[in-house]
Amino acid sequence: MNKYDVIISPVLTEKSYDGIANKKYTFKVATCATKTQIKVAVEDIFGVKVEKVNTANYDGKIKRMGRNEGRTAAYKKAIVQLKEDSKPIEFFDSLA
């Protein structure tokens, strides 16, 4: 798996903005990605040092269209904590 396949997109919510000051960044990642793969991908792509990675799996929400019922896609979210001596990720600097 390519490092760019591991990280899908950043999660930009109010709760994720609060973590930016503490060097905690939230990403949507591939559902089959491990914590080690996520750590290596973030370090290679952004050039930072990762202290720890927390992950959470989310099921898709049930949605209805008339009588028919279906689910949105399931996804995995990773919260990445950077080391104190690491530089921040530039992408998130303009958002905080």
Side-chain angles (χ1 to χ4, degrees), residues 2-20:
N2 187 359
K3 61 186 173 188
Y4 294 102
D5 294 334
V6 173
I7 297 177
I8 297 172
S9 66
V11 176
L12 304 175
T13 61
E14 288 184 29
K15 190 171 183 180
S16 67
Y17 286 140
D18 293 340
I20 292 174

Side-chain angles (χ1 to χ4, degrees), residues 11-69:
V11 176
L12 304 175
T13 61
E14 288 184 29
K15 190 171 183 180
S16 67
Y17 286 140
D18 293 340
I20 292 174
N22 300 326
K23 294 188 178 181
K24 281 189 178 182
Y25 301 97
T26 308
F27 297 98
K28 195 180 222 185
V29 296
T31 55
C32 59
T34 63
K35 290 183 180 185
T36 308
Q37 289 174 333
I38 295 167
K39 178 181 178 179
V40 170
V42 170
E43 287 177 345
D44 288 349
I45 293 171
F46 299 109
V48 294
K49 297 177 187 173
V50 175
E51 184 176 336
K52 67 178 182 176
V53 177
N54 294 334
T55 58
N57 287 308
Y58 290 92
D59 291 330
K61 294 181 180 179
I62 296 175
K63 297 288 185 178
R64 288 182 45 155
M65 181 64 93
R67 292 185 207 173
N68 300 327
E69 197 172 79

